[in-house]
Amino acid sequence: MSRRRGLMSQQFKDELAKELGFYDTVQAEGWGGITARQAGSMVKRAVEIAQHSLVNQQEQ
């Protein structure tokens, strides 16, 4: 089975984890160490950023 390619870059995921306050867990335990709630918060924030970016592009 092939592995799916992630939609978010590693750098973006790291930045989100720092912003949301659980980057220390990621460093210590890897991405498998975060909770489902933290992962959900990360996805929610990524969607917010994407939506904001789209609105800014449409206004230009």
Side-chain angles (χ1 to χ4, degrees):
M1 178 180 279
S2 67
R3 187 175 179 146
R4 282 183 57 181
R5 184 172 162 241
L7 298 175
M8 290 189 271
S9 71
Q10 187 64 43
Q11 181 181 358
F12 186 58
K13 290 192 297 188
D14 290 347
E15 289 174 16
L16 289 174
K18 288 175 187 175
E19 179 181 326
L20 296 170
F22 53 85
Y23 184 68
D24 55 336
T25 301
V26 173
Q27 285 187 308
E29 302 175 33
W31 289 106
I34 65 172
T35 65
R37 182 176 294 241
Q38 289 170 323
S41 295
M42 200 167 95
V43 171
K44 180 180 177 183
R45 182 66 181 126
V47 169
E48 290 170 351
I49 291 168
Q51 287 175 333
H52 182 74
S53 178
L54 286 173
V55 167
N56 285 343
Q57 287 178 357
Q58 290 174 353
E59 290 176 352
Q60 292 179 358

